[in-house]
Amino acid sequence: MDVNAYITATGRFLPGEPVPNDEIEDYIGKVGRGSSDLKELILENCGIKTRHYAIDKQQNTVYSNARMAAEAVRAAAARAGLGPGDVELLAAATTMPDLMGPGHASMVHGELGYAPLEIITAHGICSSGMMALKNAYLQVAAGEKRTAISVASELASRGFKSSRYAEMTPIAEDGSLPMETAFLRYMLSDGAGAAVVQDRPRPDGVSLRIDWISLTSYANTEQACMYFGSKSNDCAKTWNDYPDAASAAADGAAFPRQKLALLPHLVNIGIIEAQRLIDAGKIDLERLDWFPAHYSSERMKELLIGEMKRADLHIAQEKWFSNLTRVGNIGSASIYIILDEMLNEGMIKPGETVVCMVPESGRFAISFMHLTAVAGDDTHA
């Protein structure tokens, strides 16, 4: 017997109050005059107006990564009417967990205090959230589980606070950071999103039937673009290869970097993958109602739209949806928080078709997810 899998509820956790652009350095601090001078240029291109931080203005951690994930899970579970013993699988994703071990899912489970259950930790950058969700989807669709929760969370601010760069050998005379590091300090923010995946739609409200999830890596042909733990994007020498942690920090090997010159490759990969799925009959642009997309900046969106038009892939502007400008770039959690807003604001109606896109610039991977909105027990919508 075929079993479908449905997103029956979502939840989010955004720490603290929204932080406007002019208060960013009140939280993460300043690292050289040149770094601060880049801020306006970076923010103008990304279009973000507010974001959330899990650290305070004294750069103390207020919420751990695991706690933010647990809060998002609790919000989603409450909306689905689930108790602590009702969840059979917890799939948790993040880029920078609180610990190198145990796995992030173990720490989230411990924070939740739920009954014994199966866990899966998905590690990566933006695509890790889709990795976790696909695991939950496949297990439910295969009949292995009836109820799963997938969660993605990010705590970027903790790694960007100015005190972390005190040991780094200055790149410029005023102690400023290179563009590839300064860029990410003003781009990334904190938060968590979760999705309940079940084998039947909720009896009330709108559920999203997961029709398929596609995730494709292009690491075989592409170099690392966004990377953590190496000074160079060839990643030949990692932070673990230094004599000690202080040496790695002093050489700048312990900090996140973005190879900006490679970012256009991500747009090209997005077009290639979209065309492949259209040619395979998996995406029908004529029947597409919503296109929720995770992208790092409004500038990147403009580039993507331009290239899609050149490739004769037309998606009307009103079908795109993102909350990037209001909640910031939360990496792997972004697509969950986008869907949470769309569902809980009543934007998605029964019968509508939703195609989500999540590109990752790590070493270039891209995910698409096809959803169909259903109401109540209308499993054949």
Side-chain angles (χ1 to χ4, degrees), residues 26-362:
D26 293 344
Y27 287 84
I28 63 174
K30 297 183 179 182
V31 185
R33 186 183 68 252
S35 300
S36 295
D37 290 345
L38 289 171
K39 183 180 74 168
E40 298 306 320
L41 174 64
I42 294 167
L43 292 172
E44 181 181 350
N45 277 279
C46 74
I48 299 171
K49 305 301 181 186
T50 55
R51 78 282 296 138
H52 293 259
Y53 289 138
I55 61 174
D56 60 22
K57 291 184 177 181
Q58 288 71 49
Q59 299 191 347
N60 298 312
T61 301
V62 180
Y63 299 97
S64 71
N65 196 335
R67 182 181 171 190
M68 288 193 294
E71 294 295 344
V73 168
R74 290 187 183 107
R79 284 188 177 135
L82 300 175
D86 296 330
V87 181
E88 300 168 276
L89 169 69
L90 174 67
T94 192
T95 303
M96 299 288 283
D98 297 317
L99 300 172
M100 291 183 283
H104 186 53
S106 290
M107 301 308 294
V108 177
H109 183 206
E111 189 77 30
L112 286 166
Y114 280 8
L117 46 66
E118 184 175 338
I119 58 171
I120 170 69
T121 294
H123 177 65
I125 305 181
C126 300
S127 63
S128 64
M130 291 293 275
M131 294 175 192
L133 185 54
K134 185 164 186 176
N135 189 287
Y137 150 61
L138 290 176
Q139 291 221 36
V140 171
E144 178 76 17
K145 302 288 189 292
R146 295 184 60 186
T147 299
I149 296 186
S150 178
V151 61
S153 57
E154 300 290 3
L155 208 174
S157 64
R158 186 166 56 186
F160 291 132
K161 54 192 181 184
S162 56
S163 58
R164 285 292 186 91
Y165 296 88
E167 296 176 322
M168 184 176 176
T169 303
I171 301 300
E173 288 185 5
D174 68 351
S176 295
L177 300 172
M179 179 63 164
E180 61 190 24
T181 298
F183 176 78
L184 293 175
R185 287 192 85 229
Y186 301 115
M187 282 284 294
L188 301 179
S189 50
D190 306 337
V196 175
V197 181
Q198 296 181 283
D199 61 355
R200 63 195 66 194
R202 58 186 301 154
D204 59 324
V206 175
S207 298
L208 300 174
R209 188 183 70 220
I210 304 174
D211 300 313
W212 52 260
I213 298 176
S214 169
L215 194 155
T216 306
S217 166
Y218 282 80
N220 62 315
T221 58
E222 302 290 339
Q223 294 178 306
C225 178
M226 182 178 178
Y227 51 101
F228 300 67
S230 181
K231 189 178 178 180
S232 171
N233 79 319
D234 64 9
C235 302
K237 184 176 183 179
T238 74
W239 68 278
N240 271 323
D241 297 317
Y242 287 79
D244 48 57
S247 300
D251 200 33
F255 308 113
R257 295 172 183 266
Q258 178 90 64
K259 199 76 171 176
L260 298 174
L262 296 179
L263 274 177
H265 292 213
L266 190 58
V267 175
N268 297 335
I269 287 168
I271 301 299
I272 291 169
E273 274 299 294
Q275 189 65 64
R276 182 180 71 82
L277 293 167
I278 290 168
D279 292 344
K282 303 191 80 170
I283 296 178
D284 183 350
L285 293 182
E286 296 296 322
R287 297 186 60 191
L288 177 63
D289 297 295
W290 288 104
F291 188 61
H294 164 56
Y295 43 82
S296 59
S297 68
E298 290 297 309
R299 175 63 178 152
M300 183 63 70
K301 177 187 175 183
E302 292 171 8
L303 290 172
L304 183 59
I305 289 175
E307 289 304 312
M308 290 179 77
K309 285 181 178 178
R310 275 186 277 277
D312 201 28
L313 305 177
H314 299 285
I315 300 176
Q317 284 273 18
E318 61 269 19
K319 296 182 179 182
W320 288 68
F321 184 77
S322 171
N323 46 24
L324 172 75
T325 59
R326 288 177 280 111
V327 305
N329 181 351
I330 316 177
S332 64
S334 289
I335 196 64
Y336 290 76
I337 293 168
I338 289 170
L339 287 174
D340 180 70
E341 182 169 333
M342 295 183 76
L343 277 174
N344 292 295
E345 292 295 325
M347 296 172 63
I348 303 173
K349 309 299 181 186
E352 290 187 332
T353 297
V354 181
V355 175
C356 303
M357 180 183 70
V358 180
E360 175 188 303
S361 63

